[in-house]
Amino acid sequence: MNVETTVLGADEIILNMGPQHPSTHGVLRVKLRLDGEKVVGSECVIGYLHRGVEKIAEHRSYQQFAPYVDRMDYVAAVSNGLGYCEAVEKLMQVEAPPRARVIRTILTELQRIASHLFWLGTHALDIGALTPLFYCLREREEILKIFEKYCGARLTTHAFRIGGLQYEAYDELEKDVERFCKDFDKRVDEYEALLTENRIWVGRTKGIGILTAKDAIAMGVTGPVLRASGVQWDLRKAIPYAAYDQYEFSIPTGKNGDTYDRYLVRLEEMRQSRKICLQAIENIPAGPILGKVGKVLKPPPGEVYHSIEAPKGELGYYIVSDGTTQPYRVRIRPPSLINLEALDQMIRGHLVADVVAVIGTLDIVLGEVDR
Amino acid sequence: MFNEAIFYFFAALAIVSAILVVTRRNAVQSAIFLVTALLATAGIFLNLNAEFLFIVQVILYAGGIMVLFVFVIMLVNLDVALHQVQFNRQWFVALIISAVLAAQVAAAIMVSRQSLYTMPAAPAEALEPNTERVAFYLFHTYMLPFEIASILLLVSMVGAVVMAKKRV
Amino acid sequence: MNAIIPYILPVLFALVIVALLPLVAGYIVLVERKVMADMQVRLGPMRVGPHGLLQPIADAVKLLLKEDIIPESADKLVFWGAPLISVTAAMLALAALPIGPFFQIADLNIGLLYILGVSSLGIFGIVLGGWASNSHYSLMGALRSAAQLVSYETSAGMAVVGALLLAGTLSTRGIVEAQADTGWWFIFVAPVGFFIYLVASIAETNRAPFDMPEAESELVAGYMTEYSGFRWALYFLAEYTNMVVVASIATTLFLGGWMRPFANTRAFNFLDYLPPLLMLWVAGYCFRRTPKQPVPVQKMFMAAVGLLCIVVALVLIMPMAVPRDSFLASSKPGIHGAFWFLFKVGAYIYVFMWLRFTFPRYRFDQLMRLGWQFLVPLSIVNVMMIGVALALHRQLGWPNWVTFPLGILLTLIAGGYLLAMGEKHEQIRVGDDENAEVDAREETPVNV
Amino acid sequence: MVPIGHYIFLSVALLAIGVVGIVTRRNVIIILMSIELILNAVNINLVAFSRLVGSVEGQIFAIFIITDAAAEAAVGLGIIIAFFRNRETVLADEMDILKW
């Protein structure tokens, strides 16, 4: 950190929130230009976690690439898998059977709740509240147990296959999800009681990192960050996929796009996901769980772009196939990276302590940012 | 006997730390020694049964003004001033001044012949609580100076804030 | 020689307190970690000793053995001395605390002012510590925590003045006796003063939600960053001693020092039996847990803790069991007084911990704004209102139960007004952030 | 008991050291500290004589001197900060212009 002049000096200081930092949610380096305490400008340096997933895809068959997709946004692995499988199915004009689509919806919504819980815990920890983290992790543990019973893995689940599912739903799946959803509403009320009316929490989040609707759309920001700025856009309603068209749920939006609204939007989304899960487990249709997909997949040459509403935002897959078993090109639209672009504009004029809050509210995962 | 020992100890401490304040190169160390000098004088006040003044000295002087000094020394980031020459060549003038002062005091003591006049022994418990008496005088006979002092403080506060604003 | 006699007893008390303090501070840390764990649905330290009871000893040994690194370009003398200043300032303040009617090191007639004065010297330890470690971050952390201490000391001082008006004397013993005579604890007579003192004391001991300096992401541990090993333990000890001192001031001033709740009403005399019963219950819990301990050594230790509690219970029962007029009976106020004082100090520290685990952290400018624009004016108004209430009662003879509630009501109105002003100011500040962003968005490339 | 002469000697000694400090040091902050020393010397004299005479007026005047010292330190340091921000120096010799 080079300090041009003394603490009293008027011109700027460059402050390094280095890659190894307690509250940058992974290996993100932010170079802040400070005028005293106020942030004048910032530049994010990323790439510390770049593994070249898209290049690897060109030398893997379609089924072999599916586990890689879970390693991108490791906090919400199930929705990555859903996006990829549906994209390839669209490429091959194959429909997953209704039973598979419903089970996929249930697992994706549970994963959204788990991702939001992890976000709430770490976000509150950055701003100083020590307790919510452990409450959120307690709930998340229940969800991870359900994943473990279903497909043997907790984090990088690789739960879905192209064309449907690999594993039949274990018999108490409905009972487990029912038990989880039954008292989950009370749990969210616990978080609300702990934080929503908390003067210090409101003081630290209201009016911080404001992103107007116009700027949000201009920057291509998606997901809860976009909805908190007042734009009513959710892919589950706009372009329904899996079995979302069968269930009714509402899309929470905020008014003035500050950290407090994003917090409220994500809390409400957790409640809506619970509603979807409850509706879904009432009638899981019987029938096969895997569509007519051969062992070796040779999709017709051509290209497809398919995007789903991941917990962080619009997660898109653009796959170009040249008729062989290996994709010619796989391009992934990472919502965290595009949301991160808005960071510089959101933290200008704020203090250094707010940078931590804004990084937290963007809910970025560096695995997805760097790919 | 115990009483005198305390006085002489604090007096020696005060003088030694005063000398160190003036001679140290590093401003932070001289600030620390000034604090010890102030606490030594506070000890002397306590020895003279002036407890209220002792506590005012500790809170206001050592706890308030000196914190301000240490603050400013750190804000002003003194290592730039450290390697500059700290002492100007006016040793000679200083020597003359202190010699004159010493001569004056010696003369005063000789003339007054009361130098051996000793302090009346402090009655052990009879002395009324010092704080109540100070408070009585402060708020009755010396009401006006008290108000003037508060206005003085107000003026100096405003002055300090205006002085230290960013864009002077 | 006989001049020394009156000094022996206080020196003895002082030795006991200074010897016990590191142990007490260690166990406060353990209790804090256990309470934190309990509030966060987990167990806390369980590995060292039964239920983690030996954890403080393990921490102490670790801190003593750890290498004590001194940054090479640091100012050796100041670096060595800074933690000492902090610890001595904190420990000196213990001298005037009335643990029990007989158990007080020195009953100064300026008791409370002495404590405030000496604890304000603690700032030097922090500021010099930050300066001596010669790193920009610890210097900024030190300046911030010093600024926080100075500003909250004013409001704590005014809140204390409020209670002093009621007690009429500065000597801590006199204050507790004043509360005993009026029969009312000052927390009920000046509740706003107690609230202000609670908030100011949290800020003064640098604890969450005001632990800005060491919690800042890039200031890491504030002024304590460069310290390690024993010297860091000294700072830690100073912080926890400060917490005990602040808690005891609050107990002396607002919670009726060593008095039993409802001390004067005869109907509540059964409360005298509460302390021994409490200790017996703790002993019972220890014995019930003894067989469950995995390692025989832990079994023995748990049994020893149970025995200790039984001994304390016996000591507490003894003055009441013995016939009325005997010498032992006269020691009842002393022993029970000490128990109640420590009980209230413990309760106050529990509130500290409770707030720490539920509230997020203030940002530094919010913290200073709360200190100067809300707490200091409110505490001044509180002092004025208590003065008015006292004057009305003494001069005009209005009954007490009219003047004090009136005073409290007026203070609350003033507090509400200050809050509203604060909120309005907040809107204005957030408002002018908008246009600040518009002109700050010129695209200057980052040239590093 | 301690004869009054010793108190006078102590305060004059501090006064002399303070004056020496003001005269020989170039750093303005040290000069301000020496002024504090001189004020302290005055206080000692006041309290000693107030104890000698037996009344409390001396201590009251000492309190007024302390408030004045506080005011003077605040404004003095404010000026130093303002000056330092503009001229990057704290030495008395370089404070040689009236308007900057």
Side-chain angles (χ1 to χ4, degrees):
Chain A
M1 187 193 106
N2 46 357
V3 178
E4 272 102 4
T5 63
T6 63
V7 173
L8 287 167
D11 25 7
E12 284 145 11
I13 301 172
I14 302 286
L15 181 69
N16 237 324
M17 277 170 83
Q20 201 279 325
H21 193 275
S23 56
T24 47
H25 295 255
V27 269
L28 161 73
R29 174 174 167 218
V30 184
K31 278 195 282 187
L32 296 170
R33 283 203 335 271
L34 300 178
D35 167 14
E37 190 66 32
K38 267 194 176 326
V39 176
V40 171
S42 78
E43 182 199 348
C44 292
V45 179
I46 52 174
Y48 291 91
L49 204 53
H50 180 62
R51 294 155 291 189
V53 163
E54 292 170 1
K55 186 62 187 170
I56 293 172
E58 287 153 16
H59 305 286
R60 291 289 182 284
S61 77
Y62 285 94
Q63 300 95 327
Q64 283 174 335
F65 181 63
Y68 281 89
V69 161
D70 294 344
R71 268 73 182 171
M72 281 199 310
D73 179 356
Y74 40 78
V75 177
V78 170
S79 33
N80 297 355
L82 177 70
Y84 176 72
C85 294
E86 285 200 341
V88 179
E89 283 156 16
K90 202 167 168 187
L91 187 63
M92 294 163 52
Q93 283 94 28
V94 165
E95 260 306 304
R99 180 176 176 78
R101 290 217 306 277
V102 167
I103 293 176
R104 278 183 174 176
T105 312
I106 296 172
L107 292 181
T108 315
E109 283 314 308
L110 284 178
Q111 181 69 77
R112 186 186 312 279
I113 296 177
S115 165
H116 282 340
L117 284 175
F118 197 75
W119 159 79
L120 179 60
T122 44
H123 184 40
L125 190 64
D126 292 345
I127 295 189
L130 310 174
T131 325
L133 176 70
F134 292 93
Y135 285 13
C136 300
L137 292 185
R138 178 187 54 191
E139 269 66 69
R140 191 161 175 272
E141 197 56 34
E142 298 307 319
I143 299 177
L144 298 186
K145 282 204 186 86
I146 296 175
F147 286 160
E148 196 172 357
K149 274 193 199 151
Y150 174 69
C151 60
R154 289 159 57 91
L155 196 66
T156 54
T157 45
H158 187 215
F160 306 143
R161 293 298 179 276
I162 297 162
L165 299 172
Q166 173 72 19
Y167 312 103
E168 177 52 77
Y170 64 94
D171 31 28
E172 316 97 12
L173 176 64
E174 287 87 354
K175 250 194 334 355
D176 284 353
V177 173
E178 168 110 37
R179 190 160 35 80
F180 169 74
C181 293
K182 188 162 50 60
D183 55 10
F184 181 66
D185 230 10
K186 271 203 321 312
R187 295 278 189 260
V188 181
D189 296 343
E190 257 174 45
Y191 311 148
E192 296 248 13
L194 206 56
L195 289 177
T196 308
E197 275 86 28
N198 190 324
R199 269 187 66 76
I200 304 175
W201 175 263
V202 170
R204 280 298 296 276
T205 50
K206 208 159 204 30
I208 305 291
I210 291 175
L211 192 66
T212 55
K214 188 168 57 55
D215 292 343
I217 296 170
M219 290 219 173
V221 157
T222 56
V225 181
L226 177 68
R227 288 192 283 276
S229 305
V231 178
Q232 178 111 18
W233 172 256
D234 186 328
L235 283 172
R236 293 176 294 177
K237 283 275 188 201
I239 317 160
Y241 51 91
Y244 281 106
D245 41 16
Q246 302 162 11
Y247 312 113
E248 24 87 21
F249 53 93
S250 68
I251 306 296
T253 59
K255 279 184 301 309
N256 36 36
D258 56 9
T259 311
Y260 190 62
D261 279 1
R262 281 185 280 277
Y263 157 77
L264 291 177
V265 161
R266 286 198 179 97
L267 273 193
E268 189 51 33
E269 264 181 26
M270 281 202 266
R271 293 180 200 264
Q272 294 307 323
S273 302
R274 170 187 168 276
K275 226 163 90 180
I276 296 173
C277 286
L278 283 179
Q279 292 167 36
I281 58 173
E282 263 136 35
N283 58 357
I284 301 181
I289 55 166
L290 197 60
K292 293 172 294 311
V293 169
K295 270 275 168 289
V296 177
L297 299 181
K298 274 205 163 92
E303 56 182 36
V304 73
Y305 176 76
H306 176 75
S307 61
I308 64 161
E309 183 65 37
K312 299 339 189 238
E314 178 190 334
L315 173 67
Y317 288 86
Y318 170 69
I319 304 175
V320 176
S321 92
D322 55 3
T324 66
T325 60
Q326 294 177 343
Y328 178 73
R329 172 80 169 94
V330 174
R331 166 78 175 102
I332 295 148
R333 177 197 187 281
S336 295
L337 174 64
I338 293 160
N339 292 355
L340 188 58
E341 295 304 324
L343 177 71
D344 177 49
Q345 196 230 319
M346 283 158 82
I347 55 174
R348 288 211 172 181
H350 286 305
L351 306 177
V352 176
D354 298 331
V355 172
V356 171
V358 171
I359 292 178
T361 182
L362 282 175
D363 192 6
I364 49 172
V365 172
L366 265 297
E368 188 172 59
V369 170
D370 293 345
R371 286 185 312 291
Chain B
M1 190 287 294
F2 197 61
N3 220 328
E4 287 82 3
I6 291 180
F7 164 70
Y8 288 118
F9 164 70
F10 277 132
L13 183 64
I15 291 181
V16 165
S17 35
I19 293 172
L20 286 176
V21 164
V22 173
T23 51
R24 285 296 99 199
R25 291 184 57 79
N26 180 344
V28 171
Q29 282 178 351
S30 60
I32 297 170
F33 288 118
L34 182 58
V35 167
T36 15
L38 293 178
L39 292 180
T41 19
I44 293 172
F45 292 157
L46 199 58
N47 197 8
L48 289 167
N49 298 93
E51 313 96 57
F52 184 68
L53 205 62
F54 157 77
I55 204 61
V56 161
Q57 170 99 341
V58 168
I59 295 181
L60 240 168
Y61 243 118
I65 299 176
M66 285 322 294
V67 170
L68 191 60
F69 266 101
V70 172
F71 245 61
V72 168
I73 290 172
M74 293 189 187
L75 274 179
V76 160
N77 212 340
L78 262 185
D79 44 23
V80 70
L82 202 55
H83 18 71
Q84 289 159 340
V85 170
Q86 286 296 342
F87 300 92
N88 48 30
R89 285 159 308 287
Q90 289 164 346
W91 270 109
F92 192 52
V93 174
L95 235 63
I96 294 176
I97 291 173
S98 42
V100 163
L101 272 176
Q104 245 175 350
V105 162
I109 291 179
M110 284 318 132
V111 169
S112 69
R113 281 189 319 285
Q114 279 162 344
S115 63
L116 299 176
Y117 185 79
T118 56
M119 210 68 64
E125 290 317 317
L127 199 67
E128 322 134 5
N130 170 274
T131 327
E132 278 74 7
R133 280 190 64 198
V134 168
F136 177 78
Y137 276 95
L138 201 59
F139 290 108
H140 288 282
T141 46
Y142 295 95
M143 194 55 204
L144 181 61
F146 182 75
E147 292 312 326
I148 295 173
S150 57
I151 294 171
L152 171 77
L153 283 176
L154 177 64
V155 165
S156 74
M157 239 190 316
V158 170
V161 166
V162 165
M163 271 297 147
K165 266 168 81 68
K166 214 150 175 55
R167 294 286 172 273
V168 158
Chain C
M1 186 46 209
N2 47 18
I4 307 297
I5 302 297
Y7 295 116
I8 287 181
L9 206 57
V11 168
L12 201 65
F13 286 156
L15 275 180
V16 164
I17 287 187
V18 170
L20 277 182
L21 207 61
L23 204 67
V24 166
Y27 274 94
I28 292 178
V29 170
L30 174 69
V31 166
E32 179 161 20
R33 287 175 64 178
K34 281 281 183 187
V35 165
M36 176 164 162
D38 176 43
M39 286 188 187
Q40 292 172 347
V41 189
R42 55 190 175 86
L43 280 178
M46 293 291 279
R47 196 166 298 284
V48 185
H51 285 279
L53 283 175
L54 288 175
Q55 181 68 33
I57 288 98
D59 287 350
V61 166
K62 175 203 79 176
L63 282 176
L64 287 176
L65 297 183
K66 231 173 175 179
E67 192 217 346
D68 195 349
I69 304 155
I70 297 190
E72 49 87 19
S73 63
D75 188 332
K76 298 286 180 296
L77 171 72
V78 177
F79 189 85
W80 175 79
L84 287 189
I85 299 173
S86 265
V87 174
T88 24
M91 289 211 178
L92 277 178
L94 288 170
L97 294 180
I99 313 282
F102 310 129
F103 189 56
Q104 182 177 14
I105 297 181
D107 174 22
L108 309 161
N109 55 15
I110 45 161
L112 211 57
L113 266 186
Y114 166 78
I115 298 176
L116 285 182
V118 166
S119 60
S120 79
L121 290 180
I123 298 178
F124 283 109
I126 293 173
V127 175
L128 292 179
W131 167 264
S133 19
N134 202 355
S135 89
H136 185 73
Y137 284 144
S138 51
L139 176 61
M140 258 176 30
L143 290 183
R144 280 186 178 193
S145 47
Q148 174 184 332
L149 252 66
V150 167
S151 50
Y152 279 93
E153 215 175 290
T154 353
S155 41
M158 293 305 279
V160 158
V161 163
L164 285 187
L165 281 177
L166 300 166
T169 159
L170 276 171
S171 114
T172 46
R173 194 177 165 74
I175 294 169
V176 175
E177 269 144 15
Q179 286 174 47
D181 306 343
T182 55
W184 282 83
W185 288 0
F186 285 154
I187 183 173
F188 303 115
V189 181
V192 182
F194 178 74
F195 162 72
I196 295 171
Y197 189 77
L198 178 68
V199 172
S201 54
I202 293 176
E204 224 176 291
T205 48
N206 253 337
R207 283 182 61 81
F210 296 99
D211 61 348
M212 264 309 295
E214 61 263 8
E216 260 298 85
S217 30
E218 87 279 6
L219 290 187
V220 185
Y223 57 90
M224 285 198 256
T225 338
E226 303 298 331
Y227 284 88
S228 61
F230 181 66
R231 225 166 297 292
W232 182 81
L234 276 183
Y235 265 126
F236 212 67
L237 179 64
E239 189 193 329
Y240 278 88
T241 320
N242 262 335
M243 209 160 77
V244 167
V245 163
V246 153
S248 351
I249 295 176
T251 321
T252 320
L253 262 176
F254 292 103
L255 303 175
W258 63 73
M259 285 184 348
R260 168 173 68 84
F262 306 105
N264 300 354
T265 50
R266 304 223 54 75
F268 285 90
N269 267 356
F270 63 87
L271 278 178
D272 276 344
Y273 297 101
L274 182 66
L277 291 179
L278 196 68
M279 292 318 272
L280 283 179
W281 179 78
V282 170
Y285 178 76
C286 289
F287 286 127
R288 200 155 44 77
R289 296 293 302 174
T290 313
K292 293 198 177 66
Q293 296 310 327
V295 175
V297 170
Q298 289 189 350
K299 281 199 179 70
M300 275 199 302
F301 186 81
M302 203 56 161
V305 168
L307 273 176
L308 182 71
C309 294
I310 288 181
V311 164
V312 171
L314 285 177
V315 165
L316 284 167
I317 289 178
M318 177 264 296
M320 283 177 289
V322 161
R324 244 323 141 252
D325 47 18
S326 74
F327 164 73
L328 284 182
S330 70
S331 72
K332 167 173 176 301
I335 296 171
H336 278 252
F339 175 84
W340 282 114
F341 184 85
L342 295 176
F343 182 79
K344 289 172 193 163
V345 165
Y348 196 83
I349 289 177
Y350 180 80
V351 170
F352 267 31
M353 295 177 195
W354 192 2
L355 289 178
R356 175 170 177 216
F357 307 136
T358 40
F359 281 103
R361 207 169 286 121
Y362 264 108
R363 214 180 40 219
F364 191 64
D365 60 314
Q366 290 168 335
L367 185 131
M368 295 309 271
R369 188 174 306 121
L370 174 82
W372 285 107
Q373 286 172 0
F374 176 66
L375 272 185
V376 169
L378 187 64
S379 56
I380 291 173
V381 164
N382 173 42
V383 169
M384 274 194 284
M385 284 310 143
I386 294 179
V388 162
L390 280 174
L392 285 180
H393 173 62
R394 292 199 181 124
Q395 262 69 30
L396 302 183
W398 290 12
N400 256 346
W401 52 268
V402 167
T403 54
F404 285 108
L406 176 69
I408 294 165
L409 189 67
L410 289 173
T411 326
L412 289 179
I413 292 169
Y417 171 71
L418 281 170
L419 265 179
M421 283 292 292
E423 292 303 325
K424 198 154 54 63
H425 176 71
E426 191 67 21
Q427 261 59 33
I428 300 166
R429 192 188 63 73
V430 169
D432 66 36
D433 260 4
E434 251 65 36
N435 40 42
E437 255 163 52
V438 166
D439 54 54
R441 197 181 299 154
E442 77 294 359
E443 291 313 321
T444 53
V446 178
N447 45 27
V448 174
Chain D
M1 271 309 290
V2 180
I4 190 74
H6 295 201
Y7 284 99
I8 299 173
F9 178 75
L10 170 66
S11 69
V12 165
L14 286 180
L15 175 68
I17 294 171
V19 166
V20 163
I22 293 177
V23 168
T24 53
R25 287 304 289 258
R26 295 181 66 205
N27 185 338
V28 179
I29 294 183
I30 309 289
I31 292 175
L32 264 180
M33 284 194 204
S34 318
I35 295 173
E36 298 293 332
L37 261 181
I38 293 174
L39 288 172
N40 233 336
V42 169
N43 275 352
I44 293 177
N45 247 349
L46 273 170
V47 174
F49 276 98
S50 121
R51 176 78 184 73
L52 183 69
V53 170
S55 80
V56 180
E57 270 86 357
Q59 291 169 19
I60 291 172
F61 199 72
I63 291 176
F64 287 147
I65 286 185
I66 291 182
T67 48
D68 163 69
E72 178 256 337
V75 175
L77 292 172
I79 294 173
I80 288 178
I81 289 182
F83 188 82
F84 180 81
R85 176 170 298 122
N86 283 287
R87 297 295 299 278
E88 296 294 336
T89 166
V90 177
L91 296 182
D93 305 6
E94 285 156 20
M95 296 186 180
D96 45 14
I97 56 169
L98 274 183
K99 185 179 177 315
W100 64 71

